[in-house]
């Protein structure tokens, strides 16, 4: 039987660019981070470029965590991420409202 102390938080550091050309590579990192059972924290402070494909990946990651009763957090969201999420209407889906 596992306890709360046994649950390990997975941390994924997002790259400077999360655009359509970057999504496949970052998706592979996301899949590896989802292999655990604990909450997932995405460090987003270095993200400088993000487009709709990148936002869709983050929403899918958030939903995958929710479907498996795992926590999801975008920690230290960059100005680029906040701006893109708000302008595309994704901020509430990412907990950035």
């Amino acid at each position: 039987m596992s306890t709360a102390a046994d649950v390990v938080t997975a941390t994924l550091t997002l790259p400077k660019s999360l655009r359509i050309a970057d999504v496949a590579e970052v998706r592979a990192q996301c899949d590896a981070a989802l292999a655990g059972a604990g909450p997932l924290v995405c460090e987003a402070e270095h993200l400088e470029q993000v487009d709709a494909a990148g936002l869709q990946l983050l929403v899918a990651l958030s939903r995958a965590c929710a479907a498996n009763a795992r926590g999801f957090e975008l920690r230290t969201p960059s100005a680029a991420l906040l701006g893109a999420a708000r302008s595309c209407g994704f901020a509430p889906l990412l907990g950035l409202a």
Side-chain angles (χ1 to χ4, degrees):
M1 175 182 224
S2 66
T3 65
D6 297 332
V7 177
V8 177
T9 299
T11 302
L12 175 65
T13 301
L14 297 176
K16 288 184 178 184
S17 179
L18 189 55
R19 296 170 57 174
I20 195 165
D22 310 301
V23 167
E25 181 179 337
V26 176
R27 170 68 193 267
Q29 296 169 6
C30 292
D31 289 344
L34 285 173
L40 177 60
V41 173
C42 292
E43 296 286 352
E45 65 186 326
H46 301 295
L47 193 57
E48 296 175 0
Q49 299 177 337
V50 60
D51 64 9
L55 291 171
Q56 289 171 339
L57 176 63
L58 293 175
V59 170
L61 188 57
S62 172
R63 289 184 175 173
C65 286
N68 291 296
R70 296 179 63 182
F72 175 80
E73 177 187 357
L74 284 170
R75 186 174 290 162
T76 320
S78 66
L81 175 57
L82 290 171
R86 288 177 180 145
S87 68
C88 291
F90 283 33
L93 298 173
L94 295 170
L96 300 174

